[in-house]
Amino acid sequence: SAVISQKPSRDICQRGTSLTIQCQVDSQVTMMFWYRQQPGQSLTLIATANQGSEATYESGFVIDKFPISRPNLTFSTLTVSNMSPEDSSIYLCSAASTSGRTLYTQYFGPGTRLTVL
Amino acid sequence: DAKTTQPTSMDCAEGRAANLPCNHSTISGNEYVYWYRQIHSQGPQYIIHGLKNNETNEMASLIITEDRKSSTLILPHATLRDTAVYYCIVKRSQGNLIFGKGTKLSVKP
């Protein structure tokens, strides 16, 4: 299994600012994902972070608001831009490896708890 | 990917088996059944997955009906630390994990 760490673990930010969340995996993985969990809700997939190409965003999420980087096979960042109180959520990084068309088990980081004032 | 239906909440006595049901009547032949859980304020934790056959690991057992339209996750001896939201997810091997609302399991002393 992959061990995933995230920084920061939590932050309180002012509206209109941006925050970059880092995700580090202890081994090389093919796929990395970013999820959002709003208060009292389930997880929603934001995007798949692709190494060497642009991220693939789910419906309702756009690159200008949530730019993602994936410089190598163990690291990714998610930026929450021009924040508003509605962006207050837990942001979770996830990773999995693939072989051919098989996506192996996804593992999750501990999450970043973001509060926007 | 097929949708799943789970009870909103369940209680279980400490030391007893917890049986969490999941309906997935529209599952396709190439879709797997995955179970994750999320303990309060933590990231989701992988538990187990299966395609057709029953599966067991150190955490739990997964029983899939012969028609694959439903499954049951069994925690054989529930402890207080098993209190969590349990998610049943059906997906193709290369599909994304799409989370529903899950079942909130409360293990009581």
Side-chain angles (χ1 to χ4, degrees):
Chain A
S1 64
V3 177
I4 302 171
S5 59
Q6 291 184 229
K7 288 182 182 179
S9 58
R10 59 177 62 227
D11 207 342
I12 301 173
C13 301
Q14 298 297 319
R15 72 170 67 212
T17 63
S18 297
L19 176 71
T20 296
I21 302 168
Q22 299 179 3
C23 177
Q24 180 73 55
V25 188
D26 70 341
S27 58
Q28 292 188 344
V29 291
T30 313
M31 309 289 285
M32 294 183 75
F33 307 88
W34 287 99
Y35 287 78
R36 179 176 75 180
Q37 188 170 27
Q38 295 176 300
Q41 304 295 312
S42 186
L43 284 78
T44 301
L45 180 62
I46 297 172
T48 302
N50 302 308
Q51 199 265 333
S53 64
E54 275 196 6
T56 304
Y57 289 84
E58 297 298 306
S59 175
F61 297 96
V62 295
I63 187 172
D64 289 347
K65 177 66 176 178
F66 298 103
I68 288 171
S69 78
R70 175 90 191 271
N72 57 49
L73 293 176
T74 64
F75 187 79
S76 178
T77 67
L78 169 76
T79 299
V80 186
S81 302
N82 188 25
M83 288 184 285
S84 67
E86 292 71 34
D87 294 318
S88 297
S89 294
I90 299 173
Y91 292 86
L92 295 127
C93 175
S94 176
S97 289
T98 60
S99 176
R101 290 169 58 84
T102 300
L103 179 65
Y104 293 146
T105 301
Q106 272 183 247
Y107 296 95
F108 286 81
T112 295
R113 185 180 293 272
L114 171 63
T115 302
V116 184
L117 302 177
Chain B
D1 291 322
K3 290 186 178 178
T4 62
T5 303
Q6 299 178 252
T8 303
S9 64
M10 292 181 64
D11 290 342
C12 178
E14 189 178 19
R16 303 297 294 269
N19 298 284
L20 291 93
C22 179
N23 283 322
H24 31 79
S25 58
T26 60
I27 191 170
S28 300
N30 62 350
E31 289 181 317
Y32 290 77
V33 181
Y34 282 79
W35 283 84
Y36 282 77
R37 73 180 182 184
Q38 188 174 26
I39 296 170
H40 184 61
S41 297
Q42 297 183 22
Q45 178 188 21
Y46 166 77
I47 300 173
I48 199 168
H49 75 279
L51 182 63
K52 298 181 186 177
N53 300 321
N54 298 338
E55 302 287 345
T56 296
N57 63 20
E58 65 279 3
M59 287 184 67
S61 295
L62 173 60
I63 309 298
I64 303 174
T65 58
E66 193 169 341
D67 63 7
R68 302 185 70 240
K69 293 185 176 182
S70 65
S71 60
T72 302
L73 178 75
I74 302 173
L75 308 178
H77 305 288
T79 72
L80 298 178
R81 288 177 292 182
D82 292 321
T83 292
V85 178
Y86 287 77
Y87 297 99
C88 170
I89 301 168
V90 172
K91 76 175 192 74
R92 295 169 291 119
S93 60
Q94 65 270 40
N96 293 327
L97 278 177
I98 306 298
F99 287 79
K101 297 185 184 300
T103 296
K104 185 172 183 179
L105 175 68
S106 298
V107 180
K108 300 181 183 297

